[in-house]
Amino acid sequence: HMSAKVIDGKAIAATIRSELKQEVDDLKAKYGEEGTPGLGYLLVGERKDSQTYVRMKKRACEEVGIQSYGQDLPADITQEDLLKAVQDLNSNPKVDGILVQLPLPAHINEEEILNAVSIEKDVDGFHPLNIGKLSQRGRTPLFVPCTPRGCIELLRRSNITMEGAKAVVLGRSNIVGMPAAMLLLNENATVTICHSRTKDLPSVVREADIVIAAIGRAEMVKGDWIKPGAAVIDVGMNSVDDATRQKGYRLTGDVDYAAAAQVAGAITPVPGGVGPMTIAMLLRNTVDSAVRRMQKKQ
Amino acid sequence: HMSAKVIDGKAIAATIRSELKQEVDDLKAKYGEEGTPGLGYLLVGERKDSQTYVRMKKRACEEVGIQSYGQDLPADITQEDLLKAVQDLNSNPKVDGILVQLPLPAHINEEEILNAVSIEKDVDGFHPLNIGKLSQRGRTPLFVPCTPRGCIELLRRSNITMEGAKAVVLGRSNIVGMPAAMLLLNENATVTICHSRTKDLPSVVREADIVIAAIGRAEMVKGDWIKPGAAVIDVGMNSVDDATRQKGYRLTGDVDYAAAAQVAGAITPVPGGVGPMTIAMLLRNTVDSAVRRMQKKQ
Ligand SMILES: NC(=O)C1=CN([C@@H]2O[C@H](COP(=O)(O)OP(=O)(O)OC[C@H]3O[C@@H](n4cnc5c(N)ncnc54)[C@H](OP(=O)(O)O)[C@@H]3O)[C@@H](O)[C@H]2O)C=CC1
Ligand SMILES: NC(=O)C1=CN([C@@H]2O[C@H](COP(=O)(O)OP(=O)(O)OC[C@H]3O[C@@H](n4cnc5c(N)ncnc54)[C@H](OP(=O)(O)O)[C@@H]3O)[C@@H](O)[C@H]2O)C=CC1
């Protein structure tokens, strides 16, 4: 049996974080305290998972020298007060990026909140204007969504040829599938976008030199769907019951890793693949934004 | 030999224009003169082809009862004066849609001019905010670019099933290929986007139940690239030398029509396929905009 090269997202993300730390040090050396990049977050309510994500993001900021600002807000905050909190971060000159941790409580109009984020601070890259520019030739978005940007970075740093490759993206969500497809297209891959209405998914995937799986279905992509030698990026994060684990569950991707690793040329594990890259790209976007802020001042 | 059903774009566009005329009559009956949809155009310079297009669009407006406004501007107009002309149309309450005839002279910054068009009057659908919303689930653009919208309308009115179909789009331009791919995805097709770096294009096209060709290469798509029974929408408009014609040239599509028509299930001719639909969709977008204007007033 051949065995795929494991794409070590944890290690690649660590490399990126150390590159970013160097860039932030340089910014501070050049501009003093004013050069410090800032990330403002808004965490609404007490969801355990959201609290964990925000904690991880704050810790990662600290590690590379990004200052974090932000607020823990009550679950029953009004639309108006949350809008006000966004606007405060918009007008705070120390904040280069704004992170609104999703999901928001059901009574909040999420689209209105996200649209209120200044596009100059839209480090999540979800603003329709940024998405529009991402999908237009000759335009450059200010920010690219973190998870798909992380997928491309994994491919690039693993020396996988995207130009001319057949790429198949499973999933067409706003935050992963669709922007991942745009980015692959910008890298000159021939891109196929699949979703829940796609017929005979296995045969479509079998054509792919590059697969990005972002469907949220535990281990749905089987080993015999993978073309020998293909690169497989598994975005899925699914918890499945597992009585042998202390927590009672384990995390799996959208790909049957054990089987696919026998066929693929390169593959990301879950955890330790795409996950760490998402946060690294959030830091990347924040530093880029700080660089732009300082350049504008010159 | 089987022979494909010819998708008669000229006839379908005529049907749409008569539907629109009825809608415009209804708007006027309901709201009086204020209900009249208005299209403002800006034609810069003396290009013969641009003059012809604008003339055709004005005539089509007249036919359905849309009032046209606009200006023929000198080729040496300054950026400032052209911006001013756009802003005048933006603030003219009688104008529901603004058409900036492209291409603009080389000294003009086209992106700045197009971005100046109010997104509420962006009947060409090229504003990045409209393109962004087109590519995001759960968002609805105010306007969809006319030529790709015309392609989908041709498929719909010819009862071609898009849901679950394999669709291949040749070309990824901002005005045709990319938005056509988004629209097919919104119709739940599985969509592959090809371009000049695609390898082995014939084999990719052979998989397609629906082909949209928008590459600007005369008759490049051969009959034996087409899967038997597929629907073929040919957007191409290429002039090729032809000594037997009085003009010395004739218009052809991107598809070898004679050969493809032997294999396809349905096919658009050139001329008389997509071309007439583009103008019909411009009128459609303008009427939609007038309806929104009146609804806002209620
Ligand atoms: N590693 C990381 O940092 C991140 C990981 N994720 C993970 O990635 C996965 C996808 O997330 P997200 O994009 O937000 O999910 P969404 O639920 O928003 O989108 C899922 C997509 O997959 C498609 N899909 C669902 N079922 C099938 C099926 N049986 N066959 C083919 N396609 C299917 C859906 O199709 P349709 O559109 O037709 O409904 C949809 O387009 C999740 O597991 C999520 O946890 C997400 C973000 C970050
Ligand atoms: N009927 C109508 O109303 C309209 C018709 N048209 C016609 O449609 C055609 C396309 O127009 P438009 O989108 O503006 O053109 P563009 O030149 O902007 O885009 C052409 C696209 O085709 C791709 N392409 C070029 N050559 C090849 C090749 N050999 N193999 C595969 N792909 C190729 C290009 O790839 P890459 O991105 O890699 O360069 C590009 O994405 C033209 O003939 C135009 O006249 C356009 C608008 C309206």
Side-chain angles (χ1 to χ4, degrees):
Chain A
H1 271 312
M2 282 273 302
S3 201
K5 180 187 157 202
V6 178
I7 300 177
D8 185 346
K10 214 169 150 186
I12 294 174
T15 303
I16 292 172
R17 285 200 306 274
S18 75
E19 292 166 4
L20 286 169
K21 183 169 179 1
Q22 187 59 55
E23 282 184 51
V24 172
D25 287 347
D26 293 349
L27 273 172
K28 290 179 185 174
K30 191 163 170 197
Y31 301 114
E33 264 321 295
E34 209 190 346
T36 307
L39 180 73
Y41 69 89
L42 295 173
L43 172 62
V44 180
E46 316 243 305
R47 282 179 66 117
K48 282 272 170 302
D49 56 347
S50 293
Q51 287 173 333
T52 305
Y53 287 132
V54 168
R55 195 171 346 106
M56 285 166 64
K57 290 169 186 173
K58 278 164 74 172
R59 192 183 305 146
C61 280
E62 212 173 304
E63 191 190 322
V64 305
I66 295 172
Q67 179 70 45
S68 51
Y69 303 86
Q71 284 179 277
D72 295 10
L73 300 161
D76 63 355
I77 189 170
T78 63
Q79 181 81 11
E80 291 64 44
D81 287 347
L82 186 52
L83 265 180
K84 175 79 174 52
V86 171
Q87 277 144 8
D88 286 347
L89 293 175
N90 279 344
S91 56
N92 184 342
K94 293 186 168 170
V95 170
D96 296 299
I98 298 174
L99 168 80
V100 180
Q101 184 64 42
L102 301 181
L104 295 171
H107 70 282
I108 295 288
N109 177 341
E110 184 172 300
E111 180 170 345
E112 191 189 17
I113 299 295
L114 292 180
N115 283 356
V117 172
S118 157
I119 70 149
E120 257 120 58
K121 301 188 179 188
D122 176 39
V123 282
D124 269 329
F126 296 155
H127 194 289
L129 201 55
N130 275 322
I131 295 291
K133 289 184 176 186
L134 179 62
S135 62
Q136 287 183 308
R137 321 234 85 211
R139 306 274 177 118
T140 311
L142 290 169
F143 302 102
V144 172
C146 302
T147 301
R149 189 174 178 185
C151 295
I152 299 299
E153 203 59 34
L154 286 175
L155 291 167
R156 189 177 293 134
R157 292 186 188 236
S158 307
N159 297 315
I160 288 156
T161 306
M162 290 178 268
E163 167 128 8
K166 278 193 187 179
V168 171
V169 178
L170 309 184
R172 54 175 165 177
S173 74
N174 293 342
I175 64 171
V176 191
M178 198 61 159
M182 311 289 186
L183 287 168
L184 286 165
L185 207 53
N186 289 346
E187 298 290 334
N188 290 321
T190 298
V191 179
T192 301
I193 306 165
C194 299
H195 45 76
S196 68
R197 318 296 172 86
T198 292
K199 287 185 185 154
D200 196 5
L201 197 56
S203 81
V204 179
V205 175
R206 263 178 214 121
E207 299 282 317
D209 303 310
I210 296 171
V211 180
I212 295 186
I215 51 181
R217 299 272 177 272
E219 301 186 343
M220 194 179 117
V221 178
K222 304 303 174 199
D224 66 0
W225 297 18
I226 305 298
K227 178 172 162 178
V232 178
I233 305 292
D234 187 353
V235 184
M237 297 215 297
N238 313 290
S239 41
V240 296
D241 294 340
D242 185 343
T244 71
R245 302 285 173 112
Q246 203 171 358
K247 290 179 175 167
Y249 68 88
R250 67 192 155 85
L251 208 64
T252 69
D254 290 339
V255 178
D256 178 349
Y257 182 83
Q262 300 297 315
V263 191
I267 188 167
T268 59
V270 176
V274 174
M277 293 298 287
T278 297
I279 296 186
M281 292 299 114
L282 177 70
L283 306 176
R284 173 80 268 169
N285 279 346
T286 305
V287 173
D288 289 347
S289 183
V291 169
R292 267 197 300 267
R293 169 170 56 82
M294 292 314 301
Q295 280 168 347
K296 263 196 198 156
K297 286 210 130 187
Q298 302 310 298
Chain B
H1 272 311
M2 283 272 303
S3 200
K5 180 187 156 201
V6 177
I7 300 177
D8 185 346
K10 213 170 151 185
I12 294 175
T15 303
I16 292 172
R17 285 198 306 274
S18 75
E19 292 165 5
L20 286 169
K21 183 170 177 5
Q22 186 59 56
E23 284 184 50
V24 171
D25 286 347
D26 293 349
L27 273 171
K28 290 179 184 172
K30 192 162 170 197
Y31 302 113
E33 264 320 294
E34 208 190 346
T36 306
L39 180 73
Y41 68 88
L42 296 173
L43 172 61
V44 180
E46 317 243 304
R47 283 179 66 116
K48 283 271 170 301
D49 54 348
S50 294
Q51 289 174 332
T52 305
Y53 288 132
V54 168
R55 194 170 348 103
M56 285 166 63
K57 289 168 186 174
K58 279 164 73 173
R59 193 184 303 145
C61 280
E62 209 173 306
E63 191 191 321
V64 305
I66 296 173
Q67 178 69 45
S68 51
Y69 303 86
Q71 283 178 279
D72 294 10
L73 300 161
D76 64 354
I77 189 170
T78 63
Q79 182 80 9
E80 291 64 43
D81 287 347
L82 186 52
L83 265 180
K84 175 80 174 50
V86 170
Q87 278 144 8
D88 286 348
L89 292 175
N90 280 342
S91 56
N92 185 341
K94 294 185 168 171
V95 170
D96 296 298
I98 298 174
L99 169 80
V100 181
Q101 184 65 43
L102 301 181
L104 295 171
H107 70 281
I108 295 288
N109 178 340
E110 184 173 300
E111 180 172 344
E112 192 190 17
I113 298 295
L114 292 181
N115 283 356
V117 171
S118 157
I119 70 149
E120 258 120 58
K121 301 187 179 188
D122 176 38
V123 282
D124 270 330
F126 296 155
H127 195 289
L129 202 55
N130 276 323
I131 295 291
K133 289 183 176 185
L134 178 62
S135 63
Q136 287 183 308
R137 321 234 83 212
R139 307 273 177 116
T140 310
L142 290 168
F143 301 102
V144 172
C146 302
T147 301
R149 190 175 178 185
C151 295
I152 299 298
E153 204 59 34
L154 286 176
L155 291 167
R156 190 178 291 134
R157 291 187 187 235
S158 306
N159 297 315
I160 288 157
T161 307
M162 289 178 268
E163 168 129 7
K166 277 193 187 177
V168 171
V169 177
L170 309 184
R172 54 175 166 176
S173 73
N174 294 343
I175 63 171
V176 192
M178 198 61 160
M182 309 290 185
L183 287 168
L184 286 165
L185 207 53
N186 290 345
E187 298 290 335
N188 290 321
T190 297
V191 179
T192 300
I193 306 165
C194 299
H195 45 76
S196 68
R197 318 297 172 87
T198 293
K199 286 187 183 152
D200 195 6
L201 198 56
S203 81
V204 179
V205 176
R206 263 179 214 121
E207 299 282 316
D209 304 309
I210 296 171
V211 180
I212 295 187
I215 51 182
R217 299 272 176 272
E219 301 186 344
M220 194 180 117
V221 178
K222 303 304 174 197
D224 67 0
W225 297 18
I226 305 297
K227 178 172 163 177
V232 178
I233 305 293
D234 188 353
V235 184
M237 297 216 296
N238 313 290
S239 41
V240 297
D241 293 339
D242 185 343
T244 71
R245 303 284 172 113
Q246 202 170 358
K247 289 179 175 169
Y249 69 88
R250 67 193 155 85
L251 209 62
T252 70
D254 290 338
V255 178
D256 178 349
Y257 181 85
Q262 301 295 316
V263 190
I267 188 167
T268 59
V270 176
V274 175
M277 293 297 287
T278 297
I279 296 185
M281 293 299 113
L282 178 70
L283 306 177
R284 172 79 271 171
N285 279 346
T286 306
V287 173
D288 289 347
S289 183
V291 169
R292 267 197 299 268
R293 169 170 57 83
M294 293 315 301
Q295 279 168 348
K296 265 198 197 154
K297 287 209 129 185
Q298 302 310 299

